[in-house]
Amino acid sequence: MRVTTAYSYSASMANLQKRQTELNEANGRMTSGKRVEKASDDPTNAARAERALAVVARSDANQRALEASRNAMTLTENALGDATELLQQAREAMVAAGNGSYSDAERAAQAKKLTELRQQLFTVANRSDGAGGFLFSGQGASQPPFVDTATGVQFRGAAGQVDVASDEALPLTIDGADAWLHAPTGNGVFETRATSSTTAWIDAGRVSDPSQLTGGSYNVQFTQAGGVTSYEVRNAGGTLLASAPYKEGKAIEVEGMSFNIGGAPAVGDRFDIVPSTRTQDVFGVLDRTIAELTTPHRTGAQITQSAQTALRDLDAVGGALQDLRAAVGESLNRADAVEGRVSALRLYGETARSNAEDLDLAQAISDFKNKETGYSASLQTYSSVQRLSLFQYIS
């Protein structure tokens, strides 16, 4: 086979250019730290790297959503803590106002304190989230969600709550109406009411036998015969369920419920027992209490009844806010657990991406040295081929 000088030149030049290209590519890979810089380098691993990057991007989005929820719930938990503390102060003021030795002026002073606490609670209910929204706005409101009207505080936000847009359902806002305006009345099962009495009062009552509860309404009325005062308990249909002489301090029990009536009930006095409903609001409780404390010339029984009812209702609304605070705390705990899963998923994505496209530095250095040696050999070969020409020989 005849090999011309021109062919030798061409072959040597092509080999030299190939070696130089390979050396440049190896140098580029070492500089970037990437084994796969474009899809044509390794289509399979390039596709794996793209899928891994999608996992990382989704994890980053979930992390941002998680932080938004955590910030909002931290602010909400702080707000509910402030509200609980204010309600505790209101309870202490009501305990003081129930003192039978207080004058009307002293009870009015406690009412003024409750008015100040009510205003602070109203401010907490309308607290901003620091980003143009409101913590208790439900599904959103451009204005403060609670409005103080002549008929009481009204909720003008959108009922419900907003969750962050992520793979995990985490709250971003709280349903303000449910938090502040929908506490259970009475003791949570039934509510006792002093319908007409100026000489006696009734306590909050308690459940003595859950299996006997009917969820019905009842009334207690008093009669007198032979100087003995007796009570009669009837249901909503008028059926007599219990009847006995009245003894102060002795509990009255009927169909799984137990309650005490104190004082000296008179003929015609009436007390009602009705099922509990979630219609009690924080501000309504304070408004009723303030109105009663500023009413002069009330009897001792009326003062006692007001104090007991107010304490019962303050405990109910305070308990509802405490339950909500616990739920918010659970959301924060869940956010911590979610963060662990998001971090683990992101690490998986980063690891998969690295395995698919990152360079093994030790192997890369070895390859670079080999290609550098090959390039040097090609230069020497080309130099030798240059001396094969006839003109070189003649000279």
Side-chain angles (χ1 to χ4, degrees), residues 87-99 102 107 110-111 113-114 117 285-286 288-290 292-293 298 302-312 314:
L87 284 174
Q88 181 59 36
Q89 295 178 36
R91 195 181 194 284
E92 292 170 1
M94 198 59 232
V95 169
N99 190 328
Y102 267 32
R107 273 186 283 275
Q110 295 300 321
K113 181 177 180 180
L114 290 177
L117 292 172
V285 170
L286 291 172
R288 289 193 301 272
T289 303
I290 292 167
E292 290 172 355
L293 290 179
R298 293 188 304 157
Q302 289 174 320
I303 293 170
T304 301
Q305 183 67 73
S306 293
Q308 290 200 8
T309 301
L311 291 175
R312 178 198 68 189
L314 285 172

Side-chain angles (χ1 to χ4, degrees), residues 361-380:
L361 189 57
Q363 182 64 42
I365 292 174
S366 176
D367 290 345
F368 179 79
K369 290 298 183 182
N370 289 337
K371 295 186 186 309
E372 189 177 38
T373 300
Y375 180 62
S376 296
S378 295
L379 282 175
Q380 293 174 3

Side-chain angles (χ1 to χ4, degrees), residues 22 54 94 159 172 182 248 254 293 296 298 328 336 379 387 395:
E22 291 176 349
M94 198 59 232
L172 193 60
H182 293 162
E248 186 174 4
V254 59
L293 290 179
R298 293 188 304 157
V328 170
D336 291 339
L379 282 175
R387 292 194 290 270
S395 66

Side-chain angles (χ1 to χ4, degrees), residues 151-169:
T151 58
V153 173
Q154 304 292 325
F155 181 70
R156 299 292 170 80
Q161 73 176 37
V162 175
D163 292 336
V164 294
S166 70
D167 293 344
E168 302 269 358

Side-chain angles (χ1 to χ4, degrees), residues 99-131:
N99 190 328
S101 64
Y102 267 32
S103 65
D104 287 343
E106 288 173 315
R107 273 186 283 275
Q110 295 300 321
K112 185 175 181 181
K113 181 177 180 180
L114 290 177
T115 300
E116 293 295 328
L117 292 172
R118 180 193 184 279
Q119 184 57 42
Q120 293 181 57
L121 282 165
F122 185 74
T123 302
V124 172
N126 279 330
R127 185 170 292 181
S128 169
D129 62 4

